[in-house]
Every structure is written in structure tokens, then in C-alpha cells.
Amino acid sequence: LATVMDAERSDPMVRMKAANVARICEAKFDELATEVPEQAQKLRKVLAGMVMERYVSDVCSTMKVVAVGAGTKIVSEPALANAKGEVVVDCHAEILCRRAFLRYLYDQLEACVSGGESAILERRRGSMGKYCLRNGVSFHLYISTNPCGDAAVFRDESRAHSNRASRGKARVKVDAGMGGPLASNYQEDARFVAMSCSDKIARWNYLGLQGTLLSVFLEPLYLESVTVGNDFNYEHNYRALYNRLVGTEVRRPYSLHCPTLNTVSLQFTERSAGTPDYAVNWTEGDEKIEMIKCTTGKNRDETLLVSRICKKELFRRYLRLKEESMPPSKRRKLNDTGASALCYSQAKAEASEHGEAKRVFCESFRERCGSVWLSNAERHRLNSFFIED
């Protein structure tokens, strides 16, 4: 571990790239937040951004922000009643950013299947027609502070030698109050919880950022780096996001990846001590940010109601992409039977390769992190919905 830490910290190019990732993410948020000046200070409490880097030569690259998320809460359990895929359950910044990033991937794939060209994707020969990243393209995640869970709970050096037995363990977010360890015998009648951001990023480092549905079209897409702002501790982030899962079985094309871990010492605008009532997301190409009410997981704008990053809206794009990628003859047959006849859970089950890799990950997580992976989709039947129109 010491060798890895020394190598990454001593490389000036790594430090320069991390500083640039943080700078452009913070600048993008400042630009977007001018639309909601009354909320801007609270909204920046925790910020996450996804940066696309593309090398234009062996030594020169360009960077741009393609997705942003800001937020600190999860919804309360009553909001899940009859959710039908319309509720964004987890409104923490990293999770919102990744969901916004999925919209960016859909934009790129839609360009590919419509006969256009994607700036980041190309079809790889011999990979069952799936798309992969072009050479020289990579993605970097910025988080303004440690991801909640295992990476954050031990950041206080005064506690560095306490509770060693709980290091690396699964942790959860709670709908009201502070999160904590997830016991192996978690009771179904406990308060509504969600897996911590540390746990979710660790899962992305094995299963990829693209998720289940997009795995039908994409090879696994992994983070090149994670840059953390405030209170960064290399040892705890390295363990939480990667090292505690070392030894997880490889299921090609899925395997555990370790992104480069960085921190920055830039001075940003002071963040509010208050807790924001809203969360925000933005994807490249959007005219403005979207604000989500944290109590409901839905759009603040009651004329729109559902968020553009909720499961239903992303599923709608998946069905459209699936149809557009078919030959005309199969597309006519699909129109006759109705694409909306496919349930969200059935669509996920069809991605069998990703499903098997997820099973391997969950077994490894239970063994190494002391708990089953808690799925609210299963506990609250959040995946049992159709597209009705």
C-alpha cells in the first residue's frame, strides 16, 4: 500500500490532472447554480462530477464535465408507496452524478445506432456487437468530500486506532438520522436504508458504471480515477473503494478495477453547514439543472413531476434504444407485440452476463464486508413496473 501511495502522490502529472478535474467540476457547478441562487450555497454541501478525458495526441488531452450531481439525502419510506420507477431513492451527490452519467451514455449510444458517430464509443469486433470506449478516452469522478460509509467514517485521525474490527464493513444511509454498519441479520422492519456511497462505488469498480441495462450494449466501463476534496485519507479510501474486495472472482469481462485515488488542496467556496432540501443533477446537453425534492424523490417542478434520471425515464430510453438498434423486420415485430409489455425487472433479467457477475460480486461482498447487499428494489418491489405509454 505504501508503494502505491508514494507513487501516486509523487507524480506531478497525476496531481495536476486531479486539480484540473476538481477545478472544472466546481466551475461547472458554479455556472449551473446561478439558475437557483437562493439554493446554491446549500446545494454545494456535497458535489460530484464526472469528467471525460480524451487524448488528442500521446501527450495532450482535453477534459470536460459530462455529468454533475449534488445532494446529501435519501427519500423517506412513505415516498416508495406505488413508486412505479418514478422515485429517485438515493439523492447523494455521487449517485445522482452517476445516474446523470447514464443519460450521457444513452445520448452516445443513440448517436451510434442512428447512423451518427459517438465522441467516445466504437463497436469492438468480436464482442457480440457491443460498444466500448475509443482509445484515449477515460472518465474521472470528482467528489467534494469522502464518499459516505467506510471511506468517511474513519477520516478522523483521533479515531485512527479505534473500531478496527468494523473497518471494511458494509454501511448504510438512513432516511432520518445518521447511517451506520449494516448487520448481517438486518431486520426487515428497520428504518428505510440504502447502501453507502463507499459500497456503491466499490460495486462500480467491479461491475462498471454502465449498470445492468446498458450492459446489453456496452462493455464494462470503469473509472480511471477518483478525486476527493475535503478530509481525504488515502488508506481508508483505498480500502473502501477497492482493497476490501481484492480476491473477488473474475467473470470476464467483469473484474475488480482500482482507479487512481487523488486529493486536491484547492480552496473552494465555503460550503453551507445546513442540509439542502433539494438535490440536483445535470447532463451534458441539458439547458439547465434539474432539482429533485429529497422528501419525494421527484422533480420540484410539479408540472413535470418525475425526474429525468428516475428508473422509469431511463428504462424508457433503454426500450427506445433497443428498438432502434434492431433490423427493420424485427422492429416491426416488436411494434406488433409492444415494447411496453416488457417489465423493468424482466429487462434486467435478460442481461444474464451482468446478472452472473452481480451474483459473484454480492457473494464476495457478503464474505468480505460482513453483510448481504441490501436491495431496496427487492424489498420494496421497486422494479415491478412497465412503461404504460
Side-chain angles (χ1 to χ4, degrees), residues 124-142:
R124 189 191 300 278
R125 294 179 181 177
S127 65
M128 299 184 295
K130 291 187 179 182
Y131 291 89
C132 64
L133 290 182
R134 293 179 179 274
N135 288 336
V137 174
S138 59
F139 290 96
H140 307 268
L141 176 64
Y142 167 69

Side-chain angles (χ1 to χ4, degrees), residues 226-348:
V226 177
T227 296
V228 178
N230 300 331
D231 303 320
F232 176 79
N233 180 289
Y234 191 103
E235 177 186 354
H236 300 320
N237 276 272
Y238 181 75
R239 177 192 63 244
L241 306 186
Y242 169 75
N243 199 48
R244 58 181 169 152
L245 291 167
V246 167
T248 301
E249 180 184 352
V250 173
R251 281 298 173 96
R252 296 296 182 192
Y254 299 93
S255 62
L256 187 63
H257 282 62
C258 183
T260 301
L261 301 178
N262 308 300
T263 189
V264 290
S265 58
L266 301 178
Q267 296 299 311
F268 303 125
T269 304
E270 183 179 353
R271 287 177 167 78
S272 169
T275 302
D277 298 320
Y278 298 96
V280 300
N281 69 84
W282 172 88
T283 304
E284 183 191 38
D286 291 337
E287 293 184 0
K288 59 183 180 179
I289 58 174
E290 176 188 68
M291 298 188 67
I292 298 174
K293 295 173 70 173
C294 295
T295 53
T296 65
K298 294 186 177 182
N299 197 307
R300 183 179 73 164
D301 185 344
E302 295 184 357
T303 63
L304 298 174
L305 192 58
V306 300
S307 167
R308 60 196 179 192
I309 62 171
C310 71
K311 286 186 177 183
K312 176 173 278 188
E313 291 306 303
L314 293 178
F315 186 39
R316 195 187 306 276
R317 296 194 68 171
Y318 168 78
L319 292 175
R320 185 166 68 240
L321 181 64
K322 184 177 181 180
E323 180 178 357
E324 290 176 352
S325 64
M326 292 179 174
S329 58
K330 289 188 177 182
R331 195 179 305 174
R332 286 193 296 271
K333 184 177 180 180
L334 181 66
N335 290 333
D336 291 340
T337 58
S340 60
L342 184 63
C343 178
Y344 182 80
S345 59
Q346 292 174 319
K348 295 192 74 170

Side-chain angles (χ1 to χ4, degrees), residues 148-176:
C148 69
D150 191 47
V153 73
F154 301 107
R155 67 181 181 269
D156 184 352
E157 289 301 323
S158 66
R159 302 170 57 194
H161 300 290
S162 64
N163 300 320
R164 285 188 178 274
S166 62
R167 291 185 179 184
K169 301 302 182 182
R171 290 180 173 269
V172 293
K173 313 161 187 173
V174 181
D175 65 343

Side-chain angles (χ1 to χ4, degrees), residues 188-209:
E188 290 294 324
D189 60 351
R191 287 184 297 174
F192 175 66
V193 300
M195 299 303 293
S196 73
C197 290
S198 290
D199 295 328
K200 290 186 175 183
I201 296 173
R203 186 165 79 160
W204 301 342
N205 286 337
Y206 182 81
L207 292 174
L209 291 164

Side-chain angles (χ1 to χ4, degrees), residues 40-52:
Q41 189 66 12
K42 283 188 176 181
L43 287 172
R44 73 178 304 121
K45 186 176 179 67
V46 181
L47 169 67
M50 190 72 73
V51 172
M52 186 271 284

